[in-house]
Amino acid sequence: MPELSKNFIPGAIEAKWYHHWIEQGYFNSKPDGREAFTVVMPPPNVTGVLHMGHCLNNTIQDILVRRARMQGKNACWVPGTDHASIATEAKVVGMLRERGIAKSALSRDEFLEYVWEWKEKYGGIILEQLKKLGCSVDWDRTTFTMDEDYYKSVIQVFIALYKKGYIYRGQRMIHWDVKAKTALSDEEVIRKETRQKLYHIRYELANGNALVKEYITIATVRPETIMGDVAICVHPDDERYQHLHGKKAIVPLINREIPIITDDYVAMDFGTGALKITPAHDANDYMLGQKHHLPVIDILNDDGTLNETAQIGVGLDRFEARKWIVEKLTEAGQIVSTEDYTSEIGYSERTDAVVEPRLSLQWWVKMKALAEPALKAVMEDEIQFHPVKFKNLYHHWMANIKDWCISRQLWWGHRIPAWYDAQGNFAVAANAQQALLQLQQNNPQLTANDIFQDEDCLDTWFSSWLWPFEVFKGLNQPNNPEVAYYYPTSTLVTAPEIIFFWVARMVMAGYEFMDKKPFNHVYFTGIVRDKLGRKMSKSLGNSPDLLGLIDVYGADAVRFGIMIASPAGNDILFDESSLEQGRNFNNKLWNALKLIKLWEGRIADTVSDMNDSAFALNWFENRLLQAQLEVEQLMAQFKLSEALKVIYSLIWDDFCSWYLEWVKPGFEQPIHRNVYQKTITFFAGLLQLLHPFMPFITEEIYHLLAEKTDDLCVKQIPPAQKFDTVILQEAELLKKVITAIRETRVKNSLKPKDAVEVFVETKQPHVFKSIQQIICRQINATTFTIVESHVNNSIVVALETDKFYILSEATLDNQSLKETLLKDLAYQKNFLLSVEKKLSNEKFVQNAAPAVLAIEQKKKTDTLARIKTIEESLQALN
């Protein structure tokens, strides 16, 4: 075997093992007699590159999938990408702009050629990068939402919902992205607190006294839309304006008369109590306009510039127009006052442009009926959320669900399957031939040249809501064995910010099209934030280069770093120091391997004394069983971060700091074959427990430990077994004794090489008989004796009910010993007060879980015992 490097060097090792696993086909899955464990990867956009959110999400999925595979389940993790209509089209338009090509200069087909070219070049980057992270996905199943079969299914779903009356075409107020020039759904709009100006503008009353002009003042944050005003509205009970009911006012700058109307919708205490009504550019104004039969005047182009209908400022961008209009109104003396004002403004989730309310003819899905079974499934735990707190958020949205605007004014995506004739009649069909046949029923003279397809595409989420079953061709081939075997899927891992975009809609689609839930569990990750609590993003420059981190620390260390700080559903404050902790953990494992390999040439079948090793072997065997059960329980509760902490502590503390020290042979001394073999077995068990979290280093060490014919990647986890709690308690006592005596030696300036004699006054002598040899070795004691009374001129160590007396040839300072005991006594009494305070709090006692109460009671009992021991020791010193 080649000489082991000083530290673990991940690069080549990670590449070697990933290639080996792929070559062996470990990640591939086919239906068989085993229980299926299915995970569908949230498909990243084809515009994407790996970032910390992907790292967290995919590491969690990989942990679950690898563990399921090691439990004997048929693990199937399906990868794929989403075409991401708005984001991808924006990227391609930008690319073309750099080449000096305008989208408007291209036909639809020409533009789509460029998109496919872009997709082929960049579309699979993120999937390739996931290999560096160690993701054990079935690459043969990679799916794209614009694959031919998938495309057909999306169209099939549209037609089915249309025939059922769930899809309709209607003119309604929508959110308009002026940058992408497309409609957005409610969920694609991000509300942000935004500072603005509230302008008080006076409108002259029409038909007033020619000598004395009268005015009504309105307050608005959008003076650029006054050219689209069709009325001024006041509350019917507002005494300030009752004399104006039924009168007219003149829109400033364009001098158009508009009526003054009344409606109790108007808040009398906001602004001036007079509201300008602009139905084309405000959703609430539109509702008022409908109610009062007011006209709609749209003054904006689709790119947010003023159109000809505005009469003035034509061609100006809406925000440039705002400044220009304010200047003109100021010159005309019609700005009464201006004040700072903060309110929530909608921004496009994709382009970050301020969203424009717009009246538009779009395609919609009625959601109420679809939502009912999907809401019931989650609220009754047929689908379980982890953590459960997200059920409330889900319930609120589903119970108040609105119709979904599914049409997008884009060329990249699934094109709406509707064809029109010259009169605007339309037919929904899978292709032009079927549509023509439908339209010919009313107009037999129509030909294929007389009809044209809808220009719009479907919302990206209208395809991705089919993901859990369509990756198995569930609609195209409804009776195929794959969908019957793998669906419903096991666990969805996703971020809570797409609970409405994607999770809720997948649940609806599952029940609507498959008559089954799409998954059993949903694990919500937190948002990865920096040390200041800011969400990591490219724009803030606080998001590290994930591939760069993997190059520096290794994939295992990165996986460890992101998971150790990731309790389910809570945000993660990412700190690169956690990756250093992961790298240190790698090196700890590596050093443990090197230590054990050093023993290879010193194995003996007989060793003079095996008592201390026998205890260590018995203890660690039971400690490992205990940890395996604890990890199993935590994983079942989706407490992955807590499970990793258990394994970390088991390896770093119990195995490396204690067990290896207890069984380590003396300098140039032999090690018993049984101890050596058991140690390798224990280490292999630890590696198996850790493997789902840190797959590369565990596989490497597993094979370096001893000759192996199997791979850890697919080695089956043994079933949980009972363990001996007595030996575990004795080992905890042993650790406490060694730690306490070591600390006491340091406090009393006793060097490690200074041998001591130790005496113990105890009520459990039988326990110390089995561990006394280990104690002697670990604290450099020549003897360990059980006594029944105080030992004079000794250093006293109080440990609950036990008292340890340390004799040394070094001169002892009784005064110093007394001071140390008094200091410890004061600490224990203060600690007792804090525990008693908690136990005397009725609210705490009533609300605390029985296990928590038991822990506090034990703290009190143990502290009282320590106080008594210290006081007795002080009395003996006096």
Side-chain angles (χ1 to χ4, degrees), residues 377-378 381-386 391 519-524 638:
V378 172
D381 288 330
E382 185 180 357
I383 297 171
Q384 294 182 31
F385 279 6
H386 309 274
K391 282 174 67 174
F519 25 71
N520 298 320
H521 301 274
V522 183
Y523 178 107
F524 290 105
F638 290 87

Side-chain angles (χ1 to χ4, degrees), residues 307-562:
N307 63 25
E308 296 289 341
T309 309
Q311 301 179 47
I312 56 174
V314 176
L316 287 177
D317 174 77
R318 56 195 167 148
F319 296 120
E320 291 174 10
R322 180 177 298 178
K323 294 176 187 174
W324 186 79
I325 294 289
V326 168
E327 287 174 9
K328 294 296 179 187
L329 289 170
T330 303
E331 289 170 10
Q334 287 173 294
I335 297 280
V336 176
S337 63
T338 305
E339 60 183 279
D340 290 330
Y341 180 68
T342 300
S343 66
E344 280 197 341
I345 297 292
Y347 289 78
S348 168
E349 187 227 6
R350 293 294 183 196
T351 67
D352 203 39
V354 173
V355 168
E356 190 64 44
R358 192 178 196 198
L359 191 62
S360 183
L361 184 62
Q362 302 286 345
W363 290 89
W364 304 81
V365 179
K366 294 177 182 176
M367 300 297 280
K368 288 284 185 189
L370 290 169
E372 285 173 11
L375 176 58
K376 183 171 180 280
V378 172
M379 299 320 292
E380 294 183 0
D381 288 330
E382 185 180 357
I383 297 171
Q384 294 182 31
F385 279 6
H386 309 274
V388 73
K389 66 181 181 181
F390 287 106
K391 282 174 67 174
N392 293 331
L393 183 65
Y394 181 87
H395 179 271
H396 176 75
W397 187 75
M398 293 289 275
N400 298 283
I401 199 164
K402 296 176 183 175
D403 287 359
W404 175 14
C405 177
I406 56 168
S407 44
R408 298 291 179 270
Q409 288 62 57
L410 301 165
W411 282 351
W412 172 242
H414 304 86
R415 196 166 175 183
I416 287 174
W419 279 260
Y420 302 83
D421 63 17
Q423 286 70 47
N425 302 308
F426 67 86
V428 170
N431 53 54
Q433 290 78 9
Q434 291 179 18
L436 179 61
L437 288 173
Q438 288 184 44
L439 290 166
Q440 284 175 337
Q441 291 176 11
N442 293 323
N443 186 355
Q445 310 306 315
L446 278 179
T447 68
N449 293 328
D450 298 324
I451 65 172
F452 59 93
Q453 189 175 355
D454 197 305
E455 289 290 322
D456 291 352
C457 283
L458 288 160
D459 178 12
T460 294
W461 302 101
F462 193 85
S463 52
S464 57
W465 73 329
L466 313 180
W467 190 250
F469 52 82
E470 203 44 40
V471 295
F472 301 111
K473 298 180 171 53
L475 285 178
N476 266 311
Q477 304 167 24
N479 298 316
N480 78 70
E482 295 237 323
V483 75
Y485 181 73
Y486 292 117
Y487 187 91
T489 65
S490 304
T491 302
L492 175 74
V493 180
T494 188
E497 59 258 38
I498 57 173
I499 190 170
F500 314 129
F501 283 119
W502 195 46
V503 179
R505 288 173 180 157
M506 281 191 290
V507 179
M508 292 184 226
Y511 284 105
E512 178 66 20
F513 302 113
M514 303 301 292
D515 201 27
K516 287 180 186 174
K517 60 184 176 181
F519 25 71
N520 298 320
H521 301 274
V522 183
Y523 178 107
F524 290 105
T525 67
I527 296 169
V528 183
R529 300 184 182 276
D530 64 17
K531 286 186 282 187
L532 300 175
R534 301 173 304 173
K535 183 177 179 180
M536 285 188 164
S537 70
K538 289 179 186 174
S539 59
L540 284 175
N542 64 346
S543 183
D545 172 13
L546 182 54
L547 292 178
L549 293 177
I550 291 174
D551 287 340
V552 173
Y553 295 96
D556 285 325
V558 171
R559 289 166 65 117
F560 175 93
I562 198 77

Side-chain angles (χ1 to χ4, degrees), residues 609-623 658-659 662-663 675 682 724 726-735 738 766-775:
D609 196 343
M610 274 284 290
N611 287 343
D612 49 353
S613 293
F615 177 85
L617 292 174
N618 191 11
W619 162 65
F620 197 79
E621 186 168 9
N622 283 278
R623 177 70 188 100
W658 294 111
Y659 171 79
W662 292 352
V663 300
V675 176
F682 293 154
D724 183 351
V726 174
I727 188 94
L728 295 177
Q729 289 166 359
E730 289 176 356
E732 286 306 305
L733 173 64
L734 175 58
K735 288 190 274 186
I738 292 169
H766 63 286
V767 173
F768 285 100
K769 284 176 183 174
S770 63
I771 60 177
Q772 61 187 30
Q773 284 182 300
I774 298 179
I775 294 174

